[in-house]
Amino acid sequence: MSEVLLDVQNLKTGYGDLTVVRDVSLTVRAGEITVLLGRNGAGKTTTLRAITGLNKVQGGSVTYLGQSIADVPAHKRVAEGLSYVQEGKRVFHELTIEQNLLLGGFSTKQKKRALMPKVEEIYEFFPILGEKRSLTAASMSGGQQQMLAIGQALMANPKLLILDEPSQGLAPVIVKEVMDRVHSLKATGLGILLIEQAVQDSVAIADEVAVIDMGKNVISGKAADITVEDLQAAYFGVQSQ
Ligand code: ATP
């Protein structure tokens, strides 16, 4: 089995004194995709915010590369290889695609010349970004902006990439394209934690699945062992696409 990058056990977290996540556990391994699912308000983004250091860990443990990171500030987590693409494609619309990618490499403290080989790697991986490198991000479609946001996160040389609902607002055919690219990233040895509402498309590329509801796990395990009926029962009335 490959190396465990992230291990979250019995996580309790929330906002200030308010607890919204009560008992969430999940694991992400190198070269694998773990999908975190759950209906609106289940606590997915709050879980991510605790993993990335934006919300305080109130209980349980968050271990990255074998060490507790509960007290490591968010910016240090990025430097240690944990990259986070927030919900809603946070790219700089007025900057070119290339400028956006270079900004993604900011945390590595390298100059442009040193960052360009990585930029070229990202153009190989997402050819559309290379074709449009001199255009502004505003000129791109939603799906292309999502790929740019992922490319930006990859510029920080992550070991663990966390993606919060990359399918949000995209047409079904584009969702499949984005999922296909995310799936291809596994081959680089990257571990991926994918938060999604697009149940079928994300489970199709997952190695592990965790479904949460009201801040607690209702399912967790190998994607291959989880049936559509299990997912429907976990969602309890929420349709899985
Ligand atoms: P969605 O799919 O809609 O993004 P989610 O599973 O990511 O949902 P969260 O955004 O983690 O859910 O929200 C979990 C709970 O935390 C919700 O009840 C929400 O109202 C609450 N919550 C979210 N942000 C805050 C905040 N800043 N302060 C207080 N409560 C919050």
Side-chain angles (χ1 to χ4, degrees):
M1 269 211 181
S2 49
E3 181 194 11
V4 173
L5 297 177
L6 178 73
D7 189 33
V8 175
Q9 291 298 325
N10 311 109
L11 175 69
K12 195 172 157 196
T13 186
Y15 301 87
D17 292 337
L18 181 70
T19 300
V20 296
V21 166
R22 290 174 182 80
D23 189 5
V24 168
S25 301
L26 58 89
T27 303
V28 187
R29 294 174 187 276
E32 293 195 357
I33 298 176
T34 296
V35 173
L36 175 60
L37 299 166
R39 47 186 168 179
N40 287 339
K44 303 181 295 295
T45 298
T46 309
T47 298
L48 287 202
R49 290 178 63 87
I51 294 170
T52 55
L54 299 172
N55 285 28
K56 201 168 162 3
V57 174
Q58 299 171 346
S61 61
V62 179
T63 309
Y64 174 63
L65 300 176
Q67 305 225 313
S68 169
I69 53 166
D71 297 322
V72 177
H75 69 277
K76 285 216 174 130
R77 297 185 200 199
V78 176
E80 287 170 13
L82 198 153
S83 267
Y84 178 30
V85 180
Q86 293 192 33
E87 203 174 347
K89 307 181 278 292
R90 305 281 169 90
V91 296
F92 297 96
H93 284 186
E94 68 285 7
L95 299 183
T96 66
I97 281 129
E98 190 150 304
Q99 286 167 335
N100 267 284
L101 289 177
L102 288 167
L103 270 179
F106 182 73
S107 66
T108 66
K109 299 195 170 92
Q110 288 180 305
K111 296 235 170 356
K112 180 178 172 184
R113 196 162 4 122
L115 287 171
M116 279 316 288
K118 188 77 196 172
V119 171
E120 293 297 337
E121 244 180 63
I122 288 168
Y123 290 156
E124 264 175 48
F125 195 74
F126 296 115
I128 190 70
L129 300 184
E131 285 164 31
K132 298 194 166 192
R133 64 182 76 187
S134 310
L135 303 181
T136 59
S139 69
M140 299 205 301
S141 69
Q144 291 164 358
Q145 286 188 23
Q146 187 59 63
M147 290 178 197
L148 177 57
I150 296 171
Q152 241 184 356
L154 293 175
M155 284 297 298
N157 284 321
K159 292 188 177 73
L160 174 68
L161 180 65
I162 302 181
L163 303 172
D164 195 356
E165 292 195 33
S167 72
Q168 197 193 48
L170 302 181
V173 60
I174 311 295
V175 172
K176 285 204 163 37
E177 199 182 325
V178 171
M179 293 297 163
D180 179 52
R181 291 285 75 199
V182 171
H183 190 221
S184 308
L185 282 171
K186 277 179 28 160
T188 64
L190 194 65
I192 298 167
L193 176 58
L194 175 62
I195 281 62
E196 264 304 339
Q197 292 279 356
V199 179
Q200 285 177 0
D201 288 331
S202 60
V203 171
I205 64 166
D207 296 284
E208 299 244 353
V209 175
V211 185
I212 64 172
D213 196 29
M214 296 174 76
K216 293 183 178 176
N217 280 73
V218 284
I219 291 186
S220 64
K222 296 273 167 224
D225 299 335
I226 293 169
T227 64
V228 173
E229 289 75 25
D230 293 335
L231 290 169
Q232 279 169 345
Y235 268 69
F236 206 60
V238 173
Q239 302 214 330
S240 56
Q241 286 177 20

